């Protein structure tokens, strides 16, 4: 079952912060986050594992609430390069198919 | 190390024609999968494979066939193309590591138009 993402779209000015949410009705083992630029393939950002800690990469971090089957991606002090579509992908076990949400379109303007 | 290679990049078909989208990876990944991407629908899983000789259906398998005779290759076959199969197709793979951190590597995509 496809995870739910919110919001569907967001427009930010450079330097502003954003949060993208991902939730599933199924128990999850891990949540992946990917970013896709227009006309390109998705690129891996980070992975949150069950029992793991909050991850961070530069000004992008994420959390995973196992009890609620929810993950959030935090983008702070956004840059123009952050523009793109963000997808969360979910796995129910450690070696499982990856099911993606519908995506969140993020646009950063000067 | 080329990663995941998809061919062709672009293809135009007429309704009812058949074709095969090729996917090859040189990373010795056990897991391989095919997604289709349509506007507003995200990435939807068509078929996947956890190893040579093993395949399974994803979210939208109808109209597509797959086989996995080697670890490296995972072709996607359209037996009788329909306009509803117009889409961008991505092949992706990951290695079954010990840590459980299975990161997908994507191919560049194949844009298919069915007239």
């Amino acid at each position: 079952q496809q995870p739910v993402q919110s919001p569907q779209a967001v427009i930010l000015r450079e330097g502003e912060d954003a949060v993208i949410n991902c939730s599933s009705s199924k128990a999850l083992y891990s949540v992946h986050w990917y970013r896709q630029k227009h006309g390109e393939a998705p690129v891996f950002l980070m992975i949150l594992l069950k029992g793991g800690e909050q991850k961070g990469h530069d000004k992008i971090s994420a959390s995973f609430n196992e009890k609620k089957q929810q993950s959030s991606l935090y983008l702070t002090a956004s840059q123009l390069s952050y523009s793109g579509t963000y997808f969360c992908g979910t796995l129910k076990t450690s070696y499982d198919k990856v099911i993606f949400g519908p995506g969140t379109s993020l646009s950063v303007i000067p | 190390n080329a990663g995941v290679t998809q061919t062709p990049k672009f293809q135009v078909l007429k309704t009812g024609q058949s074709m095969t989208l090729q996917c090859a990876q040189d990373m010795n990944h056990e897991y391989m999968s095919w997604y289709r991407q349509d506007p507003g629908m995200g990435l939807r899983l068509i078929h996947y494979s956890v190893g040579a000789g093993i395949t399974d259906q994803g979210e939208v398998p109808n109209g597509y066939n797959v086989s996995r005779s080697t670890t490296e290759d995972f072709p996607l076959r359209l037996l009788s193309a329909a306009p509803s199969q117009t889409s961008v197709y991505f092949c992706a793979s990951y290695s079954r590591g010990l840590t459980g951190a299975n990161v997908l590597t994507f191919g560049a995509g194949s844009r298919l138009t069915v007239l």
Side-chain angles (χ1 to χ4, degrees), chain A:
Chain A
Q1 191 164 357
Q2 193 178 44
V4 176
Q5 282 187 240
S6 63
Q8 280 187 308
V10 59
I11 299 175
L12 301 173
R13 293 201 177 274
E14 263 187 302
E16 291 182 337
D17 302 338
V19 179
I20 300 172
N21 300 302
C22 174
S23 64
S24 173
S25 60
K26 306 286 187 182
L28 299 176
Y29 172 80
S30 67
V31 178
H32 298 201
W33 287 97
Y34 291 77
R35 178 170 62 205
Q36 184 181 31
K37 302 276 188 178
H38 184 69
E40 299 178 4
V43 174
F44 171 76
L45 288 176
M46 63 186 69
I47 182 171
L48 288 303
L49 298 175
K50 183 176 179 179
E53 298 176 355
Q54 180 167 337
K55 296 281 188 179
H57 174 69
D58 197 12
K59 294 186 175 66
I60 300 176
S61 62
S63 63
F64 178 27
N65 185 324
E66 299 163 27
K67 291 183 179 178
K68 293 185 177 181
Q69 312 308 326
Q70 294 175 347
S71 178
S72 295
L73 186 71
Y74 306 95
L75 299 97
T76 57
S78 59
Q79 306 167 16
L80 295 176
S81 62
Y82 286 3
S83 294
T85 302
Y86 289 77
F87 294 98
C88 69
T90 58
L91 287 81
K92 292 185 291 183
T93 65
S94 63
Y95 191 48
D96 191 18
K97 58 186 181 288
V98 183
I99 303 298
F100 285 95
T104 295
S105 173
L106 186 137
S107 300
V108 181
I109 58 176

Side-chain angles (χ1 to χ4, degrees), chain B residues 35-82:
Chain B
Y35 293 89
R36 62 175 289 172
Q37 185 171 33
D38 305 293
M41 303 295 289
L43 296 153
R44 292 185 293 170
L45 182 65
I46 304 171
H47 285 286
Y48 66 102
S49 168
V50 297
I54 306 170
T55 63
D56 206 346
Q57 297 181 348
E59 302 168 280
V60 288
N62 292 341
Y64 306 95
N65 281 348
V66 292
S67 60
R68 182 97 179 268
S69 56
T70 67
T71 300
E72 295 78 20
D73 300 300
F74 191 44
L76 180 71
R77 297 182 184 85
L78 288 72
L79 298 179
S80 179

Side-chain angles (χ1 to χ4, degrees), chain B residues 6-114:
Chain B
Q6 289 183 234
T7 56
K9 290 193 185 307
F10 301 94
Q11 183 71 48
V12 179
L13 290 178
K14 293 182 179 178
T15 297
Q17 286 185 318
S18 63
M19 78 155 299
T20 299
L21 296 175
Q22 302 290 346
C23 176
Q25 50 90 12
D26 60 359
M27 299 171 286
N28 203 31
H29 284 178
E30 301 92 341
Y31 177 95
M32 296 186 73
S33 55
W34 278 101
Y35 293 89
R36 62 175 289 172
Q37 185 171 33
D38 305 293
M41 303 295 289
L43 296 153
R44 292 185 293 170
L45 182 65
I46 304 171
H47 285 286
Y48 66 102
S49 168
V50 297
I54 306 170
T55 63
D56 206 346
Q57 297 181 348
E59 302 168 280
V60 288
N62 292 341
Y64 306 95
N65 281 348
V66 292
S67 60
R68 182 97 179 268
S69 56
T70 67
T71 300
E72 295 78 20
D73 300 300
F74 191 44
L76 180 71
R77 297 182 184 85
L78 288 72
L79 298 179
S80 179
S84 61
Q85 294 178 305
T86 293
S87 188
V88 179
Y89 292 85
F90 287 100
C91 179
S93 68
Y94 72 67
S95 175
R96 185 178 184 180
L98 295 175
T99 63
N102 304 321
V103 176
L104 278 172
T105 299
F106 281 85
S110 298
R111 182 175 294 275
L112 175 67
T113 301
V114 183

